Amino acid sequence: MSTEQPTEKNSSSAEIASADPSPEGRQMTLRDDLKHCGCGFLMGATDVVPGISGGTMALIVGIYERLVSAISHIDRTFLQHVLARRFRRAAQHADLRFLVVLGCGILLGAG
């Protein structure tokens, strides 16, 4: 007679999906763009309030790590892609779609 106990499913870091996956993981959709524009709107709106940072709002809504990563990828590799006219690779390298949509939301929220 077997006395095996059911094992709990262990969640490893590979199994845990982030709240906002990067575009390498899946195709970005209009829904994602609207969500990021809304996050940008919140960031822009908080930027005009004294004592509150848009970065704090980015942390609250869960896009801070992606934002920092995207900004940090505006680097030599990005510039090399642009100079070689590999615009699609440059945009993918820096997660430019995310940055542009977020920036539009920030401008709407701060305006």
Coordinates of all heavy atoms in Angstrom, one line a residue:
M1 N 0.8 -1.2 0.0 CA 0.0 0.0 0.0 C 0.9 1.2 0.0 O 1.8 1.4 0.8 CB -0.9 0.0 1.2 CG -1.9 1.1 1.3 SD -3.1 0.7 2.6 CE -4.4 1.5 1.9
S2 N 0.6 2.1 -0.9 CA 1.4 3.3 -1.0 C 1.0 4.4 -0.1 O -0.2 4.7 0.1 CB 1.3 3.8 -2.5 OG 2.0 5.0 -2.6
T3 N 1.9 5.1 0.6 CA 1.6 6.2 1.5 C 2.1 7.5 0.9 O 2.5 8.4 1.7 CB 2.2 5.9 2.9 OG1 3.6 5.8 2.7 CG2 1.6 4.7 3.5
E4 N 2.0 7.6 -0.4 CA 2.5 8.9 -1.0 C 1.5 10.0 -0.6 O 0.3 9.9 -0.7 CB 2.5 8.8 -2.5 CG 3.6 7.8 -3.0 CD 3.6 7.8 -4.5 OE1 3.2 8.8 -5.1 OE2 4.1 6.8 -5.0
Q5 N 2.1 11.1 -0.3 CA 1.3 12.3 0.0 C 1.3 13.2 -1.2 O 2.4 13.3 -1.9 CB 1.8 13.0 1.2 CG 1.7 12.2 2.5 CD 2.3 13.0 3.7 OE1 2.9 14.1 3.5 NE2 2.2 12.4 4.8
P6 N 0.2 13.8 -1.5 CA 0.3 14.7 -2.6 C 1.3 15.9 -2.4 O 1.3 16.4 -1.2 CB -1.2 15.3 -2.7 CG -1.8 14.9 -1.5 CD -1.0 13.8 -0.8
T7 N 2.0 16.2 -3.3 CA 3.0 17.2 -3.2 C 2.4 18.5 -3.7 O 1.7 18.6 -4.6 CB 4.3 16.9 -4.0 OG1 4.0 16.8 -5.4 CG2 5.0 15.7 -3.5
E8 N 2.8 19.6 -3.0 CA 2.4 20.9 -3.4 C 3.2 21.3 -4.6 O 4.4 21.0 -4.7 CB 2.6 21.9 -2.2 CG 1.6 21.7 -1.1 CD 1.8 22.7 0.0 OE1 2.1 23.9 -0.4 OE2 1.6 22.4 1.1
K9 N 2.6 22.0 -5.4 CA 3.3 22.6 -6.6 C 4.2 23.7 -6.1 O 3.7 24.7 -5.6 CB 2.3 23.1 -7.6 CG 2.9 23.5 -8.9 CD 1.9 23.9 -9.9 CE 2.6 24.2 -11.2 NZ 1.6 24.6 -12.2
N10 N 5.5 23.5 -6.3 CA 6.4 24.5 -6.0 C 6.5 25.6 -7.1 O 6.6 25.2 -8.2 CB 7.8 23.9 -5.8 CG 7.9 23.0 -4.6 OD1 7.1 23.2 -3.6 ND2 8.7 22.0 -4.6
S11 N 6.4 26.8 -6.7 CA 6.5 27.9 -7.7 C 7.9 28.4 -7.7 O 8.4 29.0 -6.8 CB 5.5 29.0 -7.4 OG 5.7 29.5 -6.1
S12 N 8.5 28.1 -8.9 CA 9.9 28.7 -9.0 C 9.8 30.0 -9.7 O 8.8 30.4 -10.2 CB 10.7 27.7 -9.9 OG 10.2 27.7 -11.2
S13 N 10.9 30.7 -9.7 CA 10.9 32.0 -10.3 C 10.6 31.9 -11.8 O 10.1 32.9 -12.4 CB 12.3 32.7 -10.1 OG 13.3 31.9 -10.7
A14 N 10.9 30.8 -12.5 CA 10.6 30.7 -13.9 C 9.1 30.5 -14.1 O 8.6 30.9 -15.2 CB 11.4 29.5 -14.5
E15 N 8.4 29.9 -13.1 CA 7.0 29.7 -13.3 C 6.2 31.0 -13.0 O 5.0 31.1 -13.4 CB 6.5 28.6 -12.4 CG 7.1 27.2 -12.8 CD 6.7 26.2 -11.8 OE1 6.2 26.5 -10.7 OE2 6.9 25.0 -12.1
I16 N 6.7 31.9 -12.2 CA 6.0 33.1 -11.8 C 6.1 34.1 -12.9 O 7.2 34.6 -13.3 CB 6.5 33.6 -10.5 CG1 6.4 32.6 -9.4 CG2 5.8 34.9 -10.2 CD1 7.1 33.0 -8.1
A17 N 5.0 34.4 -13.5 CA 4.9 35.4 -14.6 C 4.9 36.8 -14.0 O 4.2 37.0 -13.0 CB 3.7 35.2 -15.5
S18 N 5.7 37.6 -14.6 CA 5.7 39.0 -14.0 C 4.4 39.7 -14.4 O 3.7 39.3 -15.3 CB 6.8 39.8 -14.6 OG 6.7 40.0 -16.0
A19 N 4.0 40.7 -13.7 CA 2.8 41.4 -13.9 C 2.8 42.1 -15.3 O 1.7 42.3 -15.8 CB 2.5 42.5 -12.8
D20 N 3.9 42.5 -15.8 CA 4.0 43.2 -17.0 C 5.2 42.7 -17.9 O 6.3 43.2 -17.8 CB 4.2 44.7 -16.7 CG 3.8 45.6 -17.9 OD1 3.3 45.0 -18.9 OD2 4.0 46.8 -17.7
P21 N 4.9 41.6 -18.6 CA 6.0 40.9 -19.3 C 6.6 41.8 -20.4 O 5.9 42.6 -21.0 CB 5.4 39.6 -19.9 CG 4.0 39.9 -19.9 CD 3.7 40.9 -18.8
S22 N 7.8 41.6 -20.8 CA 8.5 42.3 -21.8 C 8.0 41.8 -23.2 O 7.4 40.7 -23.3 CB 10.0 42.2 -21.7 OG 10.3 40.9 -21.9
P23 N 8.2 42.6 -24.2 CA 7.7 42.2 -25.5 C 8.4 40.9 -26.1 O 7.8 40.3 -27.0 CB 8.0 43.4 -26.4 CG 8.8 44.3 -25.7 CD 8.7 43.9 -24.2
E24 N 9.5 40.6 -25.5 CA 10.1 39.3 -26.0 C 9.3 38.1 -25.7 O 9.3 37.1 -26.3 CB 11.5 39.2 -25.4 CG 12.5 40.2 -25.9 CD 12.5 41.4 -25.0 OE1 12.3 41.3 -23.8 OE2 12.7 42.5 -25.6
G25 N 8.5 38.2 -24.6 CA 7.8 37.1 -24.1 C 6.5 36.9 -24.9 O 6.0 35.8 -25.1
R26 N 5.9 37.9 -25.4 CA 4.7 37.8 -26.2 C 4.4 39.1 -27.0 O 5.1 40.1 -26.8 CB 3.5 37.6 -25.3 CG 3.2 38.7 -24.4 CD 2.0 38.4 -23.5 NE 1.8 39.4 -22.5 CZ 1.1 40.5 -22.8 NH1 0.5 40.7 -23.9 NH2 0.9 41.4 -21.8
Q27 N 3.5 38.9 -28.0 CA 3.2 40.1 -28.8 C 2.4 41.1 -28.1 O 1.5 40.8 -27.3 CB 2.3 39.6 -30.0 CG 2.0 40.6 -31.0 CD 3.2 41.1 -31.8 OE1 4.1 40.4 -32.0 NE2 3.2 42.4 -32.2
M28 N 2.8 42.4 -28.2 CA 2.1 43.5 -27.5 C 0.8 43.7 -28.2 O 0.7 43.7 -29.5 CB 3.0 44.7 -27.5 CG 4.3 44.5 -26.7 SD 4.1 43.9 -25.1 CE 3.3 45.3 -24.3
T29 N -0.2 44.1 -27.5 CA -1.6 44.3 -28.1 C -2.0 45.7 -27.8 O -1.4 46.4 -27.0 CB -2.6 43.3 -27.5 OG1 -2.7 43.6 -26.1 CG2 -2.2 41.9 -27.7
L30 N -3.1 46.1 -28.4 CA -3.7 47.4 -28.2 C -4.1 47.5 -26.7 O -4.0 48.6 -26.1 CB -4.9 47.6 -29.1 CG -5.7 48.9 -28.9 CD1 -4.7 50.1 -29.2 CD2 -6.9 49.0 -29.8
R31 N -4.6 46.4 -26.1 CA -5.0 46.4 -24.7 C -3.8 46.8 -23.8 O -3.9 47.5 -22.8 CB -5.5 45.1 -24.3 CG -6.1 45.0 -23.0 CD -6.6 43.6 -22.7 NE -7.4 43.6 -21.5 CZ -8.3 42.8 -21.1 NH1 -8.6 41.8 -21.9 NH2 -8.8 42.8 -20.0
D32 N -2.6 46.2 -24.1 CA -1.4 46.5 -23.4 C -1.0 48.0 -23.5 O -0.7 48.6 -22.6 CB -0.2 45.7 -23.9 CG -0.4 44.2 -23.6 OD1 -0.9 43.8 -22.6 OD2 0.0 43.4 -24.5
D33 N -1.2 48.5 -24.8 CA -0.9 49.9 -25.0 C -1.8 50.8 -24.2 O -1.4 51.8 -23.6 CB -1.0 50.2 -26.5 CG 0.1 49.6 -27.3 OD1 1.1 49.2 -26.8 OD2 -0.1 49.5 -28.6
L34 N -3.1 50.5 -24.2 CA -4.0 51.3 -23.4 C -3.7 51.2 -21.9 O -3.8 52.2 -21.2 CB -5.5 50.8 -23.6 CG -6.0 51.1 -25.0 CD1 -7.4 50.4 -25.2 CD2 -6.1 52.6 -25.3
K35 N -3.3 50.1 -21.4 CA -2.9 49.9 -20.0 C -1.7 50.8 -19.7 O -1.6 51.5 -18.7 CB -2.6 48.5 -19.7 CG -2.1 48.2 -18.3 CD -1.6 46.8 -18.1 CE -0.8 46.7 -16.8 NZ 0.1 45.7 -16.8
H36 N -0.7 50.7 -20.6 CA 0.5 51.5 -20.4 C 0.3 53.0 -20.5 O 0.9 53.8 -19.8 CB 1.6 51.0 -21.3 CG 2.1 49.6 -21.1 ND1 2.3 48.7 -22.1 CD2 2.2 48.9 -19.9 CE1 2.6 47.6 -21.6 NE2 2.6 47.7 -20.3
C37 N -0.6 53.4 -21.4 CA -1.0 54.8 -21.5 C -1.7 55.2 -20.2 O -1.4 56.3 -19.7 CB -1.9 55.0 -22.7 SG -2.2 56.7 -23.1
G38 N -2.5 54.4 -19.7 CA -3.2 54.7 -18.4 C -2.2 54.8 -17.3 O -2.3 55.7 -16.4
C39 N -1.2 53.9 -17.2 CA -0.1 54.0 -16.2 C 0.6 55.3 -16.4 O 0.9 56.0 -15.4 CB 0.8 52.8 -16.3 SG 0.1 51.3 -15.8
G40 N 0.9 55.7 -17.6 CA 1.6 56.9 -17.9 C 0.8 58.1 -17.5 O 1.3 59.1 -16.9
F41 N -0.5 58.1 -17.7 CA -1.4 59.1 -17.3 C -1.3 59.3 -15.8 O -1.3 60.4 -15.3 CB -2.9 58.8 -17.7 CG -3.8 59.9 -17.4 CD1 -4.0 61.0 -18.2 CD2 -4.5 59.9 -16.2 CE1 -4.9 62.0 -17.9 CE2 -5.4 60.9 -15.8 CZ -5.6 62.0 -16.7
L42 N -1.4 58.2 -15.0 CA -1.2 58.3 -13.6 C 0.1 58.9 -13.1 O 0.2 59.7 -12.2 CB -1.4 56.9 -12.9 CG -2.8 56.3 -13.0 CD1 -2.8 54.9 -12.5 CD2 -3.8 57.1 -12.2
M43 N 1.2 58.5 -13.9 CA 2.5 59.0 -13.5 C 2.5 60.5 -13.8 O 3.1 61.3 -13.0 CB 3.6 58.3 -14.4 CG 3.8 56.9 -14.0 SD 4.9 56.0 -15.1 CE 6.4 57.0 -14.9
G44 N 2.0 61.0 -14.9 CA 2.0 62.4 -15.3 C 1.1 63.2 -14.3 O 1.5 64.3 -13.9
A45 N 0.0 62.6 -13.9 CA -0.9 63.3 -12.9 C -0.2 63.4 -11.6 O -0.4 64.5 -10.9 CB -2.2 62.6 -12.8
T46 N 0.6 62.4 -11.2 CA 1.2 62.5 -9.9 C 2.5 63.4 -9.9 O 2.9 63.9 -8.9 CB 1.6 61.1 -9.3 OG1 2.5 60.5 -10.3 CG2 0.4 60.3 -9.0
D47 N 3.0 63.6 -11.1 CA 4.2 64.4 -11.3 C 3.8 65.9 -10.9 O 4.7 66.7 -10.5 CB 4.8 64.4 -12.7 CG 5.7 63.2 -12.8 OD1 6.3 62.8 -11.8 OD2 5.9 62.7 -13.9
V48 N 2.6 66.3 -11.2 CA 2.2 67.7 -10.9 C 1.8 67.9 -9.5 O 1.7 69.1 -9.0 CB 1.1 68.2 -11.8 CG1 1.5 68.1 -13.3 CG2 -0.2 67.3 -11.6
V49 N 1.7 66.9 -8.7 CA 1.4 67.0 -7.2 C 2.7 67.1 -6.5 O 3.6 66.2 -6.6 CB 0.6 65.8 -6.7 CG1 0.4 65.9 -5.2 CG2 -0.7 65.6 -7.5
P50 N 2.9 68.2 -5.7 CA 4.1 68.3 -4.9 C 4.3 67.2 -3.9 O 3.4 66.8 -3.2 CB 3.9 69.7 -4.2 CG 2.9 70.4 -4.9 CD 2.0 69.3 -5.5
G51 N 5.5 66.7 -3.9 CA 5.9 65.6 -2.9 C 5.6 64.2 -3.4 O 6.0 63.3 -2.7
I52 N 5.0 64.1 -4.6 CA 4.8 62.7 -5.1 C 5.5 62.6 -6.5 O 5.4 63.5 -7.3 CB 3.3 62.4 -5.3 CG1 2.6 62.6 -4.0 CG2 3.1 61.0 -5.8 CD1 1.1 62.4 -4.1
S53 N 6.2 61.5 -6.7 CA 7.0 61.3 -7.9 C 6.2 60.4 -8.8 O 5.5 59.5 -8.4 CB 8.3 60.7 -7.5 OG 8.9 60.1 -8.6
G54 N 6.4 60.6 -10.1 CA 5.9 59.7 -11.1 C 6.5 58.3 -11.0 O 5.9 57.3 -11.3
G55 N 7.8 58.3 -10.6 CA 8.5 57.0 -10.3 C 7.8 56.2 -9.2 O 7.8 55.0 -9.3
T56 N 7.3 56.9 -8.2 CA 6.6 56.2 -7.1 C 5.3 55.6 -7.7 O 5.0 54.5 -7.4 CB 6.2 57.2 -6.0 OG1 7.4 57.8 -5.5 CG2 5.5 56.6 -4.9
M57 N 4.6 56.3 -8.6 CA 3.4 55.7 -9.2 C 3.8 54.6 -10.1 O 3.1 53.6 -10.1 CB 2.7 56.8 -10.0 CG 1.4 56.4 -10.5 SD 0.2 55.6 -9.3 CE -0.2 57.1 -8.4
A58 N 4.9 54.6 -10.8 CA 5.4 53.5 -11.6 C 5.6 52.3 -10.8 O 5.3 51.2 -11.2 CB 6.6 53.9 -12.4
L59 N 6.2 52.5 -9.6 CA 6.4 51.4 -8.7 C 5.0 50.8 -8.2 O 4.9 49.6 -8.1 CB 7.2 51.9 -7.5 CG 7.7 50.8 -6.5 CD1 8.6 49.8 -7.1 CD2 8.4 51.5 -5.3
I60 N 4.1 51.7 -7.9 CA 2.8 51.2 -7.4 C 2.0 50.4 -8.4 O 1.4 49.4 -8.1 CB 2.0 52.4 -6.9 CG1 2.6 53.0 -5.6 CG2 0.5 52.1 -6.6 CD1 2.0 54.4 -5.2
V61 N 2.1 50.9 -9.7 CA 1.3 50.2 -10.7 C 2.0 49.0 -11.3 O 1.5 48.3 -12.2 CB 0.8 51.2 -11.8 CG1 -0.1 52.2 -11.3 CG2 2.0 51.8 -12.6
G62 N 3.3 48.8 -10.9 CA 4.0 47.6 -11.3 C 4.8 47.7 -12.6 O 5.1 46.6 -13.1
I63 N 5.2 48.9 -13.0 CA 5.9 49.0 -14.3 C 7.3 49.6 -14.1 O 8.1 49.8 -15.0 CB 5.2 49.8 -15.3 CG1 5.0 51.3 -14.8 CG2 3.9 49.2 -15.8 CD1 4.5 52.2 -15.9
Y64 N 7.7 49.8 -12.8 CA 9.0 50.4 -12.5 C 10.2 49.7 -13.1 O 11.0 50.3 -13.8 CB 9.1 50.6 -11.0 CG 10.4 51.4 -10.6 CD1 10.4 52.8 -10.7 CD2 11.5 50.7 -10.2 CE1 11.6 53.5 -10.4 CE2 12.7 51.4 -9.9 CZ 12.7 52.8 -10.0 OH 13.8 53.5 -9.6
E65 N 10.2 48.4 -12.9 CA 11.4 47.6 -13.3 C 11.5 47.6 -14.9 O 12.6 47.8 -15.4 CB 11.3 46.2 -12.8 CG 11.6 46.0 -11.4 CD 11.5 44.6 -10.9 OE1 11.8 43.7 -11.7 OE2 11.3 44.4 -9.7
R66 N 10.4 47.5 -15.5 CA 10.4 47.5 -17.0 C 10.8 48.9 -17.5 O 11.5 49.0 -18.5 CB 9.0 47.1 -17.5 CG 9.0 47.1 -19.0 CD 7.7 46.5 -19.5 NE 7.7 46.5 -21.0 CZ 6.6 46.2 -21.7 NH1 5.5 45.8 -21.1 NH2 6.7 46.2 -23.0
L67 N 10.3 50.0 -16.8 CA 10.7 51.3 -17.2 C 12.2 51.5 -17.1 O 12.8 52.0 -18.0 CB 9.9 52.3 -16.3 CG 10.2 53.8 -16.5 CD1 9.9 54.2 -18.0 CD2 9.4 54.6 -15.6
V68 N 12.7 51.1 -16.0 CA 14.2 51.3 -15.7 C 15.0 50.5 -16.8 O 16.0 51.0 -17.3 CB 14.6 50.9 -14.3 CG1 16.1 50.9 -14.1 CG2 13.9 51.9 -13.3
S69 N 14.5 49.3 -17.0 CA 15.2 48.4 -18.0 C 15.1 49.0 -19.4 O 16.2 49.0 -20.1 CB 14.5 47.0 -18.0 OG 15.1 46.2 -19.0
A70 N 14.0 49.5 -19.8 CA 13.8 50.1 -21.1 C 14.7 51.4 -21.3 O 15.4 51.5 -22.3 CB 12.4 50.5 -21.4
I71 N 14.7 52.2 -20.2 CA 15.6 53.4 -20.3 C 17.1 53.0 -20.3 O 17.9 53.6 -21.1 CB 15.3 54.3 -19.1 CG1 13.9 54.9 -19.3 CG2 16.3 55.4 -19.0 CD1 13.4 55.7 -18.0
S72 N 17.4 52.0 -19.6 CA 18.9 51.6 -19.6 C 19.3 51.0 -20.9 O 20.5 50.9 -21.1 CB 19.1 50.6 -18.4 OG 18.5 49.4 -18.7
H73 N 18.4 50.6 -21.7 CA 18.7 50.0 -23.0 C 18.8 51.1 -24.1 O 19.0 50.7 -25.3 CB 17.7 48.9 -23.4 CG 18.0 47.6 -22.7 ND1 17.4 47.3 -21.6 CD2 18.8 46.6 -23.1 CE1 17.8 46.1 -21.2 NE2 18.7 45.7 -22.1
I74 N 18.7 52.3 -23.8 CA 19.0 53.4 -24.7 C 20.5 53.6 -24.5 O 21.0 54.4 -23.7 CB 18.3 54.7 -24.4 CG1 16.8 54.4 -24.3 CG2 18.6 55.8 -25.4 CD1 16.0 54.7 -25.4
D75 N 21.3 52.8 -25.2 CA 22.7 52.7 -25.0 C 23.5 52.6 -26.3 O 22.9 53.0 -27.4 CB 23.1 51.5 -24.1 CG 22.5 50.2 -24.7 OD1 22.0 50.2 -25.9 OD2 22.7 49.1 -24.1
R76 N 24.7 52.2 -26.3 CA 25.5 52.1 -27.5 C 24.9 51.2 -28.5 O 24.9 51.4 -29.7 CB 26.9 51.7 -27.1 CG 27.8 51.5 -28.3 CD 29.2 51.1 -27.9 NE 29.8 52.3 -27.4 CZ 31.0 52.3 -26.8 NH1 31.7 51.2 -26.7 NH2 31.5 53.5 -26.3
T77 N 24.4 50.0 -28.1 CA 23.8 49.0 -29.0 C 22.6 49.7 -29.7 O 22.4 49.5 -30.9 CB 23.4 47.8 -28.2 OG1 24.5 47.2 -27.5 CG2 22.8 46.7 -29.1
F78 N 21.8 50.4 -28.9 CA 20.6 51.1 -29.5 C 21.1 52.0 -30.6 O 20.6 52.1 -31.7 CB 19.9 51.8 -28.4 CG 18.7 52.6 -28.9 CD1 17.5 52.1 -29.3 CD2 18.9 54.0 -29.1 CE1 16.5 52.9 -29.8 CE2 17.8 54.8 -29.5 CZ 16.6 54.2 -29.9
L79 N 22.1 52.8 -30.3 CA 22.6 53.8 -31.2 C 23.2 53.1 -32.5 O 23.0 53.6 -33.6 CB 23.7 54.7 -30.6 CG 24.2 55.8 -31.4 CD1 23.1 56.8 -31.8 CD2 25.3 56.6 -30.6
Q80 N 23.9 52.0 -32.3 CA 24.5 51.3 -33.4 C 23.3 50.8 -34.4 O 23.5 50.8 -35.6 CB 25.3 50.1 -33.0 CG 26.6 50.5 -32.3 CD 27.3 49.3 -31.7 OE1 26.8 48.3 -31.4 NE2 28.6 49.6 -31.4
H81 N 22.3 50.3 -33.8 CA 21.1 49.8 -34.6 C 20.5 51.0 -35.4 O 20.2 50.9 -36.5 CB 20.0 49.2 -33.7 CG 20.4 47.9 -33.2 ND1 20.9 46.8 -34.0 CD2 20.2 47.3 -31.9 CE1 21.1 45.8 -33.2 NE2 20.7 46.0 -32.0
V82 N 20.4 52.1 -34.7 CA 19.8 53.3 -35.4 C 20.7 53.8 -36.5 O 20.3 54.1 -37.6 CB 19.6 54.5 -34.4 CG1 19.2 55.7 -35.1 CG2 18.5 54.1 -33.4
L83 N 22.0 53.9 -36.2 CA 23.0 54.3 -37.3 C 23.0 53.4 -38.4 O 23.3 53.8 -39.6 CB 24.3 54.6 -36.7 CG 24.4 55.7 -35.7 CD1 25.8 55.8 -35.0 CD2 24.1 57.0 -36.3
A84 N 22.8 52.1 -38.2 CA 22.8 51.1 -39.3 C 21.4 51.0 -39.9 O 21.2 50.1 -40.7 CB 23.3 49.8 -38.7
R85 N 20.5 51.8 -39.5 CA 19.1 51.8 -40.0 C 18.4 50.5 -39.7 O 17.6 50.1 -40.5 CB 19.1 52.2 -41.5 CG 19.6 53.6 -41.8 CD 19.5 53.9 -43.2 NE 20.1 55.3 -43.4 CZ 19.9 56.0 -44.5 NH1 19.3 55.5 -45.5 NH2 20.4 57.2 -44.6
R86 N 18.7 49.9 -38.6 CA 18.0 48.7 -38.2 C 17.0 49.2 -37.1 O 17.1 48.9 -35.9 CB 18.9 47.7 -37.6 CG 19.9 47.1 -38.7 CD 20.7 46.0 -38.1 NE 21.5 46.4 -37.0 CZ 22.9 46.6 -37.0 NH1 23.5 46.4 -38.2 NH2 23.5 47.0 -36.0
F87 N 16.0 49.9 -37.6 CA 15.1 50.6 -36.6 C 14.2 49.6 -35.9 O 14.0 49.8 -34.7 CB 14.2 51.6 -37.4 CG 15.0 52.7 -38.1 CD1 15.0 52.8 -39.5 CD2 15.8 53.5 -37.4 CE1 15.7 53.7 -40.1 CE2 16.5 54.5 -38.0 CZ 16.5 54.6 -39.4
R88 N 13.8 48.5 -36.5 CA 13.0 47.5 -35.7 C 13.8 46.9 -34.6 O 13.3 46.8 -33.5 CB 12.5 46.5 -36.7 CG 11.5 45.5 -36.1 CD 11.0 44.5 -37.1 NE 10.4 45.1 -38.2 CZ 9.1 45.2 -38.5 NH1 8.3 44.7 -37.6 NH2 8.7 45.8 -39.5
R89 N 15.1 46.6 -34.9 CA 15.9 46.0 -33.8 C 16.2 47.0 -32.7 O 16.2 46.7 -31.6 CB 17.2 45.6 -34.4 CG 17.2 44.3 -35.2 CD 18.5 43.8 -35.6 NE 18.4 42.7 -36.5 CZ 19.5 42.2 -37.2 NH1 20.7 42.7 -37.0 NH2 19.3 41.2 -38.0
A90 N 16.4 48.3 -33.1 CA 16.6 49.3 -32.1 C 15.4 49.5 -31.2 O 15.5 49.6 -30.0 CB 16.9 50.7 -32.8
A91 N 14.2 49.5 -31.9 CA 13.0 49.6 -31.1 C 12.8 48.4 -30.2 O 12.3 48.6 -29.0 CB 11.8 49.8 -32.0
Q92 N 13.1 47.3 -30.6 CA 12.9 46.1 -29.8 C 14.0 46.1 -28.6 O 13.6 45.7 -27.5 CB 13.1 44.8 -30.6 CG 11.9 44.5 -31.5 CD 12.1 43.4 -32.4 OE1 13.2 42.9 -32.7 NE2 11.0 42.9 -33.0
H93 N 15.2 46.5 -29.0 CA 16.2 46.5 -28.0 C 15.9 47.4 -26.8 O 16.1 47.1 -25.6 CB 17.5 47.0 -28.6 CG 18.7 47.1 -27.6 ND1 19.3 46.0 -27.1 CD2 19.3 48.2 -27.1 CE1 20.3 46.4 -26.3 NE2 20.3 47.8 -26.3
A94 N 15.3 48.6 -27.1 CA 15.0 49.6 -26.0 C 13.5 49.5 -25.6 O 13.1 50.4 -24.7 CB 15.3 51.0 -26.5
D95 N 12.8 48.6 -26.1 CA 11.3 48.5 -25.7 C 10.7 49.8 -26.0 O 10.0 50.4 -25.2 CB 11.2 48.1 -24.2 CG 9.8 47.5 -23.9 OD1 9.0 47.4 -24.8 OD2 9.6 47.1 -22.7
L96 N 10.9 50.3 -27.2 CA 10.5 51.7 -27.6 C 9.0 51.9 -27.6 O 8.5 52.9 -27.3 CB 11.2 52.0 -28.9 CG 11.4 53.5 -29.2 CD1 12.2 54.1 -28.1 CD2 12.1 53.7 -30.5
R97 N 8.3 50.8 -28.0 CA 6.8 50.9 -28.0 C 6.3 51.2 -26.7 O 5.4 52.1 -26.5 CB 6.2 49.7 -28.6 CG 4.7 49.7 -28.7 CD 4.2 48.5 -29.4 NE 2.7 48.4 -29.3 CZ 2.0 47.6 -30.1 NH1 2.6 46.7 -30.8 NH2 0.7 47.6 -30.0
F98 N 6.8 50.5 -25.7 CA 6.4 50.8 -24.3 C 6.7 52.2 -23.9 O 5.9 52.9 -23.3 CB 7.1 49.8 -23.4 CG 7.0 50.0 -21.9 CD1 5.8 49.8 -21.2 CD2 8.1 50.5 -21.2 CE1 5.7 50.1 -19.9 CE2 8.0 50.8 -19.8 CZ 6.8 50.6 -19.2
L99 N 7.9 52.6 -24.2 CA 8.4 54.0 -23.8 C 7.5 55.1 -24.4 O 7.1 56.1 -23.8 CB 9.8 54.2 -24.1 CG 10.8 53.4 -23.2 CD1 12.2 53.6 -23.7 CD2 10.7 53.9 -21.7
V100 N 7.2 54.9 -25.7 CA 6.4 55.9 -26.4 C 5.0 56.0 -25.9 O 4.5 57.1 -25.6 CB 6.4 55.6 -28.0 CG1 5.4 56.5 -28.7 CG2 7.8 55.9 -28.5
V101 N 4.4 54.8 -25.7 CA 3.0 54.8 -25.2 C 2.9 55.4 -23.8 O 2.1 56.2 -23.4 CB 2.4 53.4 -25.3 CG1 1.1 53.3 -24.6 CG2 2.3 53.0 -26.7
L102 N 3.9 55.0 -23.0 CA 4.0 55.5 -21.6 C 4.2 57.0 -21.6 O 3.5 57.7 -20.9 CB 5.1 54.8 -20.8 CG 5.1 55.1 -19.3 CD1 4.0 54.4 -18.6 CD2 6.4 54.5 -18.7
G103 N 5.1 57.5 -22.5 CA 5.4 58.9 -22.6 C 4.1 59.7 -23.0 O 3.9 60.8 -22.5
C104 N 3.4 59.1 -23.9 CA 2.1 59.8 -24.3 C 1.1 59.9 -23.2 O 0.5 61.0 -23.0 CB 1.5 59.1 -25.5 SG 2.3 59.2 -27.1
G105 N 1.0 58.9 -22.4 CA 0.2 58.9 -21.2 C 0.7 59.9 -20.2 O -0.1 60.7 -19.6
I106 N 2.0 60.0 -20.0 CA 2.6 61.0 -19.1 C 2.2 62.4 -19.5 O 1.8 63.3 -18.7 CB 4.1 60.8 -18.9 CG1 4.4 59.5 -18.2 CG2 4.7 62.0 -18.2 CD1 5.9 59.1 -18.2
L107 N 2.4 62.7 -20.8 CA 2.0 64.0 -21.3 C 0.6 64.3 -21.2 O 0.2 65.5 -20.8 CB 2.4 64.1 -22.8 CG 3.9 64.1 -23.1 CD1 4.2 64.1 -24.6 CD2 4.6 65.3 -22.5
L108 N -0.3 63.4 -21.4 CA -1.7 63.6 -21.2 C -2.1 63.9 -19.7 O -2.9 64.7 -19.4 CB -2.5 62.4 -21.6 CG -2.7 62.1 -23.1 CD1 -3.3 60.8 -23.4 CD2 -3.5 63.3 -23.8
G109 N -1.4 63.1 -18.8 CA -1.7 63.3 -17.4 C -1.1 64.6 -16.8 O -1.7 65.1 -15.9
A110 N 0.0 65.0 -17.3 CA 0.6 66.2 -16.8 C 0.0 67.5 -17.4 O 0.1 68.6 -16.9 CB 2.1 66.2 -17.1
G111 N -0.7 67.3 -18.5 CA -1.3 68.5 -19.2 C -2.5 69.0 -18.7 O -3.0 69.5 -17.9

